[in-house]
Amino acid sequence: MRLPDINDLIQDLQLAKQIAIEDRNPNALIMATVSQAKLLGLDKPQIRDVNADAVQTISDLMNELANDDQLLTQRISHAKNEY
């Protein structure tokens, strides 16, 4: 017996969504959709920044912000404008 891979899981959730649509069950449809998003990593925020090329990891970003007081204010302002 092999473990399911991500494609198998996405297919199963797609089937669950179809059943939810046929049964007119919006809660089940939402749960299947959210589960697909989680499997694909789409439920996590993405850091977008004008200086993103210089930052390789979240740890690097945190270190960069910790070492420059004005940079934190600039990034918060940028995030507010962006979102």
Side-chain angles (χ1 to χ4, degrees):
M1 179 180 147
R2 75 174 182 85
L3 292 176
D5 63 14
I6 192 157
N7 291 324
D8 297 329
L9 297 172
I10 292 295
Q11 282 182 326
D12 289 347
L13 288 167
Q14 194 62 35
L15 177 60
K17 286 171 61 176
Q18 188 59 44
I19 292 169
I21 290 168
E22 291 168 3
D23 289 346
R24 301 175 142 277
N25 186 344
N27 289 332
L29 176 59
I30 291 168
M31 291 304 298
T33 301
V34 168
S35 296
Q36 283 180 322
K38 286 182 178 185
L39 277 175
L40 297 172
L42 300 175
D43 63 322
K44 299 185 177 34
Q46 297 178 352
I47 296 176
R48 293 187 316 171
D49 191 294
V50 291
N51 298 324
D53 293 338
V55 177
Q56 299 299 316
T57 65
I58 295 294
S59 178
D60 291 343
L61 175 60
M62 296 305 291
N63 290 335
E64 185 180 342
L65 292 174
N67 294 326
D68 188 339
D69 294 335
Q70 289 185 356
L71 184 59
L72 178 58
T73 305
Q74 291 170 355
R75 293 202 184 213
I76 289 171
S77 175
H78 174 74
K80 285 181 181 176
N81 293 335
E82 206 43 43
Y83 304 102

